[in-house]
Amino acid sequence: APCCHRINYEFFIISKCFGVLLFSLLPFLLSSGLYFYLWLPESSPSPHSAAVKCIPVLTLSAMLFCHKGCSLGHPGGKLLAGLLMSAVGDVCLIWKDLLLPGKCVAFFSLAHILYSLSFLSVRSRRPSWLLLPCLALWIFTGCTYMYFLPHLQVRPDAQLMVPAVGFYCILITIMTSFAFRTSRPPTIAGSLFFMASDFILAHQLFVAPAPWGRMMIMITYYLAQLLITVGGTHLSFVFLAAF
């Protein structure tokens, strides 16, 4: 009987936290759904389209602020700053034809630096299996950069973009490696989705646009920001309990 009571109590706590998590994410779910419902054309950038694209990330920032505050000395504060840098990068991508692509790279690079510092601040035991996935990540990054390099070298701004993209590849791989270090499934999954989103985006920008590219970019991007944010809250153990 005591065992049954304990199981019921744990199930109640997990259910309650899962409900709080869903309620906290409701603004993100509604705003991201609105983005896909409106699906404003990229050919006519406007403040309205920039706002629609950025609001989901800003709602995640607000949720994180409510849970963790905004102190940069805390992992949650660094994560919050990274989300805000990502939102600015989203605005730059709306006007990518008018702004230098390097500006977009710069803001997302700052986001990855802040994410990396946040993950590095998390106190956790370094898992014994960490070396293998990190090695695979760096091999994948090297192969990806070599794939994009010929397309970058023929651009008019090659002198800027070749080193900028290479530097960005290093930063996002470091960020993902530190995500594995946290041993948090949402954080790890979010960082991998971020890599997938950026790979598709780079293919769209530097190689050849695909008709499904923008949809896949935004799905993986919003999933990445969602999971990274959830991994940075005290409600992330709900995911651990689910597995």
Side-chain angles (χ1 to χ4, degrees), residues 93 96-97 101 104-105 148 151-152 155 161 198-209 217:
L93 282 174
K96 60 180 179 294
D97 294 331
C104 305
V105 174
F148 289 122
H151 302 280
L152 294 169
R155 291 174 58 92
M161 294 307 296
D198 282 347
F199 176 83
I200 303 170
L201 176 61
H203 193 277
Q204 290 283 104
L205 292 177
F206 306 135
V207 183
I217 289 167

Side-chain angles (χ1 to χ4, degrees), residues 68 74-76 79 118-119 121-125 127 129 178-191 227-237 239-240:
K68 293 291 186 178
H74 190 276
L79 206 58
S118 174
F119 301 156
S121 302
V122 174
R123 295 181 179 179
S124 61
R125 293 182 179 180
W129 47 264
F178 286 156
F180 274 93
R181 180 184 175 275
T182 66
S183 299
R184 294 176 176 177
T187 303
I188 295 170
S191 65
L227 291 168
I228 287 174
T229 303
V230 170
T233 68
H234 67 275
L235 296 173
S236 60
F237 81 92
F239 282 81
L240 295 174

Side-chain angles (χ1 to χ4, degrees), residues 113-191:
I113 290 172
L114 289 163
Y115 289 159
S116 298
L117 292 173
S118 174
F119 301 156
L120 194 59
S121 302
V122 174
R123 295 181 179 179
S124 61
R125 293 182 179 180
R126 184 178 300 178
S128 57
W129 47 264
L130 183 64
L131 181 61
L132 188 58
C134 288
L135 181 62
L137 283 173
W138 284 100
I139 293 173
F140 173 78
T141 299
C143 294
T144 300
Y145 183 67
M146 294 305 296
Y147 170 72
F148 289 122
L149 186 58
H151 302 280
L152 294 169
Q153 290 174 331
V154 298
R155 291 174 58 92
D157 56 353
Q159 290 186 340
L160 170 66
M161 294 307 296
V162 168
V165 172
F167 180 66
Y168 183 83
C169 287
I170 292 172
L171 285 180
I172 194 171
T173 309
I174 290 174
M175 183 272 291
T176 308
S177 300
F178 286 156
F180 274 93
R181 180 184 175 275
T182 66
S183 299
R184 294 176 176 177
T187 303
I188 295 170
S191 65

Side-chain angles (χ1 to χ4, degrees), residues 19-90:
V20 171
L21 179 62
L22 285 179
F23 181 77
S24 300
L25 292 175
L26 190 59
F28 169 80
L29 297 173
L30 292 175
S31 57
S32 57
L34 179 65
Y35 172 84
F36 289 110
Y37 175 75
L38 295 176
W39 201 243
L40 299 174
E42 291 185 309
S43 56
S44 55
S46 66
H48 177 236
S49 60
V52 171
K53 184 179 182 182
C54 294
I55 284 175
V57 176
L58 293 177
T59 61
L60 291 176
S61 304
M63 187 195 83
L64 192 63
F65 176 78
C66 292
H67 282 282
K68 293 291 186 178
C70 61
S71 172
L72 285 177
H74 190 276
K78 299 181 182 72
L79 206 58
L80 174 60
L83 286 168
L84 295 176
M85 289 298 102
S86 295
V88 177
D90 286 334

